[in-house]
Amino acid sequence: EAGVVQSPRYKIIEKKQPVAFWCNPISGHNTLYWYRQNLGQGPELLIRYENEEAVDDSQLPKDRFSAERLKGVDSTLKIQPAELGDSAVYLCASSSARTGRGYTFGSGTRLTVV
Amino acid sequence: DAKTTQPPSMDCAEGRAANLPCNHSTISGNEYVYWYRQIHSQGPQYIIHGLKNNETNEMASLIITEDRKSSTLILPHATLRDTAVYYCIVRTDYNQGGKLIFGQGTELSVKP
């Protein structure tokens, strides 16, 4: 099966500019997650979707971050405006109750804010 | 917060078994132990998980102590490609809304 697909792979933007990341989960996986990973740290959960509903967004900085998962498939994570401290790798993962193997992660988008 | 404690780094000789320890003294009865690894510039990759019994798959073995307060991931014949950061995670069942909370992990270096 195709894995979790993320794009772009790399992104460099100036501070105060907007940026968006896209994720296509594994077909049939109804649960989708966005994680942020700072250099040298483990991934940190930002938001979790069950189909199109955000069921856990307690760690999402809502003043500048937003996410959507229209039709319960693809998802977009947006930052507006970006700050220097947002430089990190943004990871998308998906899972379903059927798999029992935890999450499948994409390769991530490495964001550099200059 | 992560509920596990792992050594920050370990070395292993190529071809030898790599034994990665993890402490999870506050684990609850309905929480599973999951192991993931992350190779540089890639997303985390699932390795194995277990509840009470020891588990084995094509990648590794998971040994969970009887009191479930600690576990060990065993890579039986480590290769250079096993060099990665290994994360031990405890989580509740998927159907109970369990989510993966990552700690710092153990950076395993497999040396020739």
Side-chain angles (χ1 to χ4, degrees):
Chain A
E1 63 181 4
V4 175
V5 180
Q6 292 188 246
S7 68
R9 188 77 173 89
Y10 302 94
K11 189 74 176 179
I12 301 175
I13 62 170
E14 294 183 343
K15 62 182 180 182
K16 300 185 181 180
Q17 294 302 306
V19 65
F21 315 122
W22 176 80
C23 173
N24 180 231
I26 290 175
S27 178
H29 281 195
N30 57 307
T31 309
L32 183 145
Y33 314 81
W34 282 102
Y35 280 80
R36 176 174 59 189
Q37 186 171 25
N38 293 312
L39 188 64
Q41 304 293 317
E44 170 194 19
L45 180 65
L46 292 176
I47 189 168
R48 169 188 172 195
Y49 280 93
E50 293 290 343
N51 299 305
E52 64 274 10
E53 181 182 0
V55 298
D56 184 356
D57 62 355
S58 57
Q59 301 300 313
L60 189 71
K62 298 181 182 62
D63 56 337
R64 296 182 301 106
F65 286 66
S66 65
E68 61 183 10
R69 192 184 183 198
L70 300 177
K71 301 181 181 179
V73 181
D74 294 1
S75 178
T76 303
L77 178 68
K78 299 178 181 178
I79 308 175
Q80 182 171 12
E83 299 179 350
L84 295 177
D86 296 330
S87 294
V89 175
Y90 291 83
L91 294 159
C92 178
S94 69
S95 69
S96 79
R98 295 180 292 105
T99 63
R101 288 167 60 92
Y103 308 1
T104 301
F105 283 83
S107 296
T109 297
R110 180 176 296 277
L111 173 67
T112 302
V113 183
V114 297
Chain B
D1 291 341
K3 299 177 63 175
T4 62
T5 303
Q6 301 177 252
S9 63
M10 292 181 62
D11 290 339
C12 178
E14 187 178 20
R16 304 296 293 270
N19 298 292
L20 291 86
C22 179
N23 288 321
H24 30 79
S25 58
T26 61
I27 192 169
S28 301
N30 64 344
E31 288 183 315
Y32 289 74
V33 179
Y34 277 77
W35 283 84
Y36 278 73
R37 74 179 183 183
Q38 188 171 25
I39 296 171
H40 184 61
S41 297
Q42 297 182 22
Q45 175 192 23
Y46 167 85
I47 300 174
I48 199 168
H49 75 283
L51 183 62
K52 296 180 181 178
N53 300 320
N54 298 336
E55 302 287 345
T56 295
N57 63 20
E58 65 278 6
M59 292 182 67
S61 294
L62 173 61
I63 308 298
I64 303 174
T65 58
E66 191 169 346
D67 64 7
R68 303 212 319 126
K69 293 184 177 182
S70 65
S71 61
T72 301
L73 179 74
I74 301 173
L75 307 178
H77 305 287
T79 70
L80 299 179
R81 289 179 294 180
D82 291 322
T83 293
V85 178
Y86 287 77
Y87 295 99
C88 170
I89 303 163
V90 297
R91 62 170 288 200
T92 55
D93 182 73
Y94 175 92
N95 292 320
Q96 295 178 300
K99 55 189 178 185
L100 295 177
I101 300 176
F102 289 80
Q104 302 277 55
T106 295
E107 186 167 8
L108 176 68
S109 296
V110 181
K111 301 181 183 300

